[in-house]
Amino acid sequence: MLSLRALPALLGALSAALPGAALPAAEAPARLAAAAERLAAYVRLDTSNPPGDEAAAAELLASILHQRGLATERYISPAGRTSLAARLAATGAAPEDAPVLVLMHHLDVVPAGAGWSAPPFAAEVRDGRLWGRGAIDAKSLGIAQLEAFLAAAELPVRRRELLYLAVADEEAGGTQGTKWLLERHPELFARVEAVLNEGGQNRTVLGRTLFWGIEVTQKRPLWLELEARGRGGHGSALNVESAAHRLIAALARALAAPPGWRISPAARAHFEALAAFDPQARSLAASFERLFGPEGPTRDLLPGMAGYFLDTLQVTRLEASERINVVAPAARAWLDVRLLPDTDAEGYLRALRERLGGDIEVRVLLDAPAVAPAPTDTPLYAELAAALGDGRAPVVPVFIAGVTDSRWLRERGIAAYGVQPFELEWPELGTVHGPDERMPLAVFERGVERMVRVVRALVAPEAAAR
Ligand SMILES: [Zn+2]
């Protein structure tokens, strides 16, 4: 395993060995090298969810904060899942009046899965990239926020209170993390003016950032467990009451339903905001009125685009008998449904139940109400956008087809913004939740600097201007 202490020398050697490879040439400033080391240590702690097991990762972040004399608080959910918080008071304001800015990320990662060309929890550095599950989603963000928090601790004046929050369980829905914290520790979220979380979506092509997208709205999960019951028995017999067959027939009816393509207000606002500087968005927005005909899209949509215009349904897990010659008395399927921000969930569920038929039991495992997008007409949003774009690239509010913990916050009227400081490009962007997740260290270092600058601008604009 490579030590990150040797990183600058290593990168230099690699640059020489690989002509044309996009590797950082200059030695990184000391603070950023330290940040890369912290990211490596964080990635090495396996927080695959399930089971999550965030305690050691929370301990690592806590120990870094303690070394700087900053206190932390641990919150352990009934299922034993650890979240961590640290605070920096505002100066010059009574504590009960200071607005709070929350820097939030999740400690857990999705399981590594197969197909990796580097060990997923070794944080190896290859080709100027740090490889490992969580290197992008979301441990790099957690370290960038940590560096920003530590830098803010040095400021003589802070006009906003800062809360650093590392939460458990995001990848499995957040019920043992953010949702539980909001329900059982609402005091944590008192006086919160805004939360900066994952979910920001910038577009960078060949090193040039076309725009910074601050995520203000997203799709909503509707996770369902379906169960069919029937008559168990021997696989050799005719069995017209097979639970598996009933389930398969019901799923086939559900999947045969024509997709409900539509342009939601969120998608309209998203593509119209991007149209000014993104040719793809401009072309889409210009054809909105004729984008969907009775047969579906009237033009090819780029990969990943369909989710902006559809409630999607994916059958992701199936379960029946464990033996080839045994008919199980029950069969189950799990559906990952993602609704558009304004879809009527009750209506969607009613229609789905009708298609599945009365003999299928449907249990809702996770849902999210329709909520208003985070506001973009506040002074904080204006300051955030100015700091993130830094006068170099436009900043726009965006809608993402994914789901983050921000929905739990918005549900309670808390302004949550997805802010991604890293100028990631393909193919790295495509490795999130897949094999070979990796973070280019040069991108990481610039992103850490950007997050430090953004947070400084929000808590001490006077210091940021200097
Ligand atoms: Zn994430």
Side-chain angles (χ1 to χ4, degrees), residues 75-105:
Y75 295 86
I76 300 175
S77 79
R81 308 288 293 279
T82 306
S83 296
L84 181 83
R87 267 181 206 278
L88 277 177
T91 51
E96 61 273 20
D97 293 336
V100 179
L101 178 69
V102 184
L103 307 178
M104 168 171 154
H105 82 287

Side-chain angles (χ1 to χ4, degrees), residues 107-462:
L107 292 152
D108 61 322
V109 295
V110 290
W116 285 73
S117 30
F121 297 103
E124 284 184 6
V125 174
R126 298 182 183 185
D127 195 18
R129 290 151 176 83
L130 191 144
W131 295 60
R133 172 60 80 232
I136 296 178
D137 181 13
K139 290 177 172 175
S140 48
L141 178 67
I143 295 298
Q145 291 179 343
L146 181 71
E147 298 296 333
F149 188 83
L150 294 174
E154 311 278 302
L155 293 169
V157 177
R158 286 182 297 271
R159 65 185 172 95
R160 288 184 168 105
E161 186 173 318
L162 273 183
L163 170 63
Y164 181 75
L165 195 56
V167 299
D169 199 36
E170 190 275 341
E171 295 290 4
T175 54
Q176 295 295 315
T178 303
K179 179 173 190 270
W180 175 76
L181 287 169
L182 282 158
E183 282 167 2
R184 300 306 303 274
H185 294 281
E187 75 282 358
L188 251 180
F189 299 91
R191 297 176 282 111
V192 167
E193 183 182 12
V195 178
L196 309 190
N197 187 20
E198 66 174 339
Q201 204 182 60
N202 51 296
R203 180 160 315 142
T204 304
V205 180
L206 300 173
R208 188 173 151 255
T209 295
L210 300 180
F211 64 86
W212 293 94
I214 297 178
E215 181 266 340
V216 295
T217 190
Q218 57 184 237
K219 291 187 86 174
R220 299 142 55 203
L222 177 62
W223 290 356
L224 305 173
E225 183 182 333
L226 273 46
E227 183 170 322
R229 300 207 146 261
R231 184 164 56 82
H234 201 286
S236 65
L238 172 71
N239 185 343
V240 294
E241 295 163 70
S242 154
H245 293 184
R246 281 177 176 163
L247 181 68
I248 290 164
L251 288 173
R253 288 192 295 274
L255 293 172
W261 296 97
R262 69 189 176 89
I263 300 164
S264 65
R268 186 175 291 276
H270 172 83
F271 289 105
E272 286 177 354
L274 294 186
F277 34 79
D278 178 357
Q280 292 160 10
R282 185 155 57 241
S283 141
L284 263 184
S287 66
F288 268 164
E289 305 323 318
R290 51 184 190 285
L291 192 52
F292 301 112
E295 305 291 306
T298 56
R299 52 178 280 184
D300 288 339
L301 294 176
L302 288 167
M305 280 289 170
Y308 285 93
F309 302 107
L310 272 182
D311 300 314
T312 55
L313 179 157
Q314 286 293 337
V315 180
T316 47
R317 283 184 66 202
L318 290 163
E319 186 183 278
S321 171
E322 287 178 0
R323 316 292 310 179
I324 192 167
N325 58 352
V326 173
V327 176
R332 276 179 286 275
W334 284 262
L335 271 51
D336 182 355
V337 175
R338 305 294 177 103
L339 302 177
L340 290 166
D342 62 330
T343 293
D344 166 20
E346 293 290 317
Y348 181 93
L349 210 47
R350 210 179 311 121
L352 179 64
R353 282 183 208 269
E354 262 167 39
R355 272 184 229 111
L356 291 167
D359 56 351
I360 305 291
E361 193 184 324
V362 179
R363 282 187 285 274
V364 176
L365 302 178
L366 184 73
D367 61 355
V371 292
T376 55
D377 58 354
T378 62
L380 181 134
Y381 181 86
E383 291 169 38
L384 172 62
L388 187 62
D390 199 27
R392 275 176 244 185
V395 180
V396 281
V398 295
F399 160 41
I400 61 165
V403 162
T404 73
D405 270 347
S406 291
R407 70 190 191 283
W408 298 118
L409 300 154
R410 292 179 188 142
E411 198 181 320
R412 284 159 179 82
I414 298 172
Y417 300 100
V419 176
Q420 152 73 287
F422 306 110
E423 293 169 293
L424 287 161
E425 303 187 38
W426 296 90
E428 280 80 16
L429 265 181
T431 64
V432 172
H433 286 212
D436 290 348
E437 183 175 351
R438 56 198 187 271
M439 168 62 84
L441 283 164
V443 169
F444 174 70
E445 292 175 359
R446 282 199 302 276
V448 170
E449 272 180 356
R450 184 169 293 103
M451 185 55 86
V452 168
R453 201 179 60 233
V454 165
V455 171
R456 190 169 53 213
L458 291 173
V459 300
E462 308 74 24

